[in-house]
């Protein structure tokens, strides 16, 4: 099961970044859809006890994902500017 834990996050990250739209409005809709997907997936994984929280709450994850998704956009734009 640890193999799944190691590849699940990065796999979704690659999909997220590679299909990210350029326009700001479409990006926020795209990011919101990914946030909902991530929260539903995490809730499912908690429900089936694949993830067991200790001093953590699903609400904390929502804040973390929102920041991480926005930072991924910044990181992608930063790397593209460097490569020019």
């Amino acid at each position: 099961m640890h193999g799944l834990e190691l590849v699940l996050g990065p796999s979704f990250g690659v999909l997220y970044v590679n299909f990210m739209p350029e326009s700001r409005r479409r990006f926020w809709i795209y990011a919101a859809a990914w946030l909902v997907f991530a929260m539903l997936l995490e809730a499912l994984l908690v429900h089936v006890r694949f993830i067991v929280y200790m001093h953590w709450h699903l609400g904390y994850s929502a804040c973390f994902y929102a920041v991480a998704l926005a930072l991924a956009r910044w990181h992608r734009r930063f790397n593209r500017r460097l490569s020019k």
Side-chain angles (χ1 to χ4, degrees), residues 13-65:
V14 167
L15 290 172
Y16 172 75
V17 169
N18 283 328
F19 292 101
M20 186 184 305
E22 292 293 330
S23 80
R24 188 173 288 177
R25 183 175 190 276
R26 290 186 69 212
F27 164 73
W28 288 114
I29 294 168
Y30 178 77
W34 271 92
L35 179 63
V36 169
F37 168 73
M39 296 305 300
L40 291 174
L41 179 62
E42 187 169 335
L44 174 67
L45 294 175
V46 168
H47 180 72
V48 299
R49 304 196 51 81
F50 184 78
I51 296 174
V52 177
Y53 288 143
M54 295 182 69
H55 310 292
W56 190 259
H57 188 270
L58 197 59
Y60 301 155
S61 294
C63 295
F64 173 81
Y65 291 139

